[in-house]
Amino acid sequence: MYKKEMEISSSTAFPTIGIVLLGGISDQNRRIPMHDSAGIAYSDEKQSVRTVTSLYISDIREGYFNGNKITPNNSYRSPFRIIEKYESQIFEKLGIVQKNRFICFRSENHGILSGSSDSGAAALGKCIHSILGNDLNLEDFENDLRSVSESVGRSFYGGLTVTETDRKMAVTRTVADWNIFKDFTILGCPFPEPRKPSDTIHENIVKSNLYEERVKTAKDRVRKLESLIKDGKLDEIFEIAQEDTEDYHRMIESVGVKIINRDMRNFIEDIKASQKEFWSSYIVTGGTNVFVVCHNRNLEKVMDIAVGNAMKPLKLKISPGAKSMDNP
Ligand code: ADP
Ligand code: 3S4
């Protein structure tokens, strides 16, 4: 039976941070990564930092994003494109006559520092997956969701994931479950300056003469991560992440994209000085945030450095993949 504005699925997904950072995509529509990368899904302890998305049926095509109505259009990164592709299949699966009815969406981001496009794409994907299940080829589906976010797989699958690409298609798999990282906390430190869109990075990084070298380094680092997991060397994963952050930002700065501002740099220098006393690692992705990974036992020490730099940090944990609220 069809009821007006009937909700058909609801999902939650967590934002992500790169471990081997991604820079460079095939084009703005398909957003296929130009090189291998790795990342983690994150949230706070209560998993309240997240995207929540629901799909419902209505007699007009509409969508709401953080409470604001968005118009259906075919512009790039539009959730409507994905919904339209799977709409008939969904109606058929639900046994509802499609005529003059549309699948609409409502999506809310909660407390996300960066990586919202990943959780946005993954939550939408999980809504569709919870209805279509095994009718979907997950590799093809990930590549459809990629039109909203190039690193959607990180959020869809959760934990520590790697994404491998042949520049025609990219496939993500979890290489370490989220709960093996329980001894680590990530202190997310946001800085007030607004972020640049990730496309600014993607468009410019490929102009570097050293880009093809970067492609090789990223692939080697992704391979290394997998062997570190096998050997249980979890600290070293985040040491690679810091090394990768440093290479990445050096490279994007060389092509005119500066993310790490003076205040962020001062804070990073304080963190690096403290690394002589106790273990930590830092990561900066495309947003104006510094993520400091530490052992739980040293959290207060990192917190003191952050508060000393006038930060209002958020305690974060590595998180699982996207979850359906209908059939968890
Ligand atoms: P971020 O690091 O937050 O992913 P980006 O610049 O890569 O930053 O992506 C921002 C874009 O992600 C937004 O302009 C929007 O197109 C998309 N996005 C963010 N949240 C959602 C959501 N909940 N559902 C769908 N798309 C989203
Ligand atoms: C620039 O798709 P962000 C980057 O690997 C894009 O996390 C990822 O980060 C780098 O814009 C990365 O999502 O913060």
Side-chain angles (χ1 to χ4, degrees):
M1 238 259 293
Y2 164 71
K3 287 195 239 105
K4 198 167 162 18
E5 303 234 330
M6 181 173 85
E7 186 173 301
I8 53 172
S9 69
S10 183
S11 294
T12 187
F14 304 107
T16 86
I17 307 168
I19 292 291
V20 177
L21 297 166
L22 173 61
I25 54 175
S26 60
D27 60 281
Q28 281 190 332
N29 282 316
R30 292 172 308 145
R31 309 185 74 79
I32 303 165
M34 299 289 279
H35 65 75
D36 294 354
S37 57
I40 48 174
Y42 74 88
S43 186
D44 58 353
E45 193 108 48
K46 292 184 180 152
Q47 299 191 342
S48 64
V49 171
R50 69 203 195 283
T51 296
V52 179
T53 298
S54 49
L55 296 184
Y56 60 96
I57 300 176
S58 174
D59 46 14
I60 49 163
R61 180 163 317 280
E62 60 183 15
Y64 286 88
F65 181 52
N66 289 339
N68 301 314
K69 193 167 185 161
I70 58 165
T71 44
N73 58 31
N74 224 11
S75 68
Y76 64 89
R77 305 194 89 156
S78 167
F80 288 110
R81 284 170 126 202
I82 293 168
I83 290 173
E84 281 170 31
K85 174 159 183 182
Y86 290 96
E87 195 161 47
S88 313
Q89 241 179 302
I90 294 173
F91 275 112
E92 200 178 315
K93 187 87 181 187
L94 296 174
I96 295 172
V97 178
Q98 184 173 356
K99 196 163 177 282
N100 297 330
R101 288 175 187 147
F102 302 93
I103 292 174
C104 304
F105 73 95
R106 196 173 285 117
S107 187
E108 309 260 346
N109 293 340
H110 301 275
I112 297 177
L113 297 181
S114 65
S116 64
S117 56
D118 299 338
S119 49
L124 172 64
K126 200 68 199 175
C127 283
I128 297 173
H129 181 236
S130 73
I131 299 170
L132 296 181
N134 292 338
D135 297 356
L136 290 173
N137 171 321
L138 278 185
E139 292 188 359
D140 292 338
F141 187 51
E142 178 184 343
N143 282 276
D144 286 333
L145 297 175
R146 185 154 276 126
S147 68
V148 173
S149 176
E150 59 279 3
S151 32
V152 56
R154 290 179 191 167
S155 176
F156 193 83
Y157 292 109
L160 171 67
T161 50
V162 302
T163 301
E164 287 159 312
T165 177
D166 61 6
R167 296 187 175 183
K168 294 191 192 76
M169 174 145 173
V171 177
T172 301
R173 61 198 159 85
T174 300
V175 291
D177 204 60
W178 66 285
N179 53 31
I180 74 164
F181 294 102
K182 284 198 168 134
D183 291 341
F184 295 87
T185 297
I186 304 169
L187 207 62
C189 303
F191 286 72
E193 197 175 306
R195 68 158 295 160
K196 297 184 178 71
S198 58
D199 279 341
T200 310
I201 299 175
H202 295 310
E203 282 157 21
N204 287 289
I205 193 170
V206 293
K207 295 176 189 162
S208 164
N209 294 333
L210 299 174
Y211 187 69
E212 285 310 317
E213 194 57 40
R214 163 80 193 152
V215 171
K216 287 200 199 92
T217 311
K219 193 183 186 76
D220 292 345
R221 284 189 179 142
V222 166
R223 282 215 196 100
K224 176 88 182 155
L225 288 185
E226 294 207 62
S227 73
L228 290 174
I229 290 152
K230 274 199 203 102
D231 298 341
K233 295 179 174 165
L234 301 188
D235 288 6
E236 286 185 42
I237 291 172
F238 300 109
E239 287 163 22
I240 289 190
Q242 177 169 322
E243 211 176 299
D244 199 69
T245 280
E246 293 183 342
D247 290 352
Y248 184 87
H249 286 275
R250 205 173 302 118
M251 180 170 266
I252 60 177
E253 282 176 21
S254 77
V255 291
V257 185
K258 195 166 167 63
I259 309 281
I260 301 179
N261 60 31
R262 208 184 50 203
D263 290 345
M264 290 167 80
R265 177 58 60 202
N266 289 341
F267 176 53
I268 288 168
E269 290 311 322
D270 287 351
I271 290 296
K272 289 183 81 166
S274 74
Q275 288 176 347
K276 295 187 185 96
E277 310 297 323
F278 63 94
W279 184 91
S280 76
S281 149
Y282 81 91
I283 299 168
V284 180
T285 67
T288 42
N289 309 291
V290 180
F291 295 95
V292 183
V293 188
C294 66
H295 297 136
N296 296 342
R297 62 180 179 278
N298 290 323
L299 178 61
E300 287 313 313
K301 293 183 194 161
V302 182
M303 192 70 118
D304 286 347
I305 301 171
V307 172
N309 277 266
M311 309 268 60
K312 287 199 183 117
L314 239 76
K315 291 183 208 170
L316 305 169
K317 302 298 273 187
I318 295 180
S319 304
K323 302 177 198 183
S324 162
M325 265 107 100
D326 315 307
N327 61 64

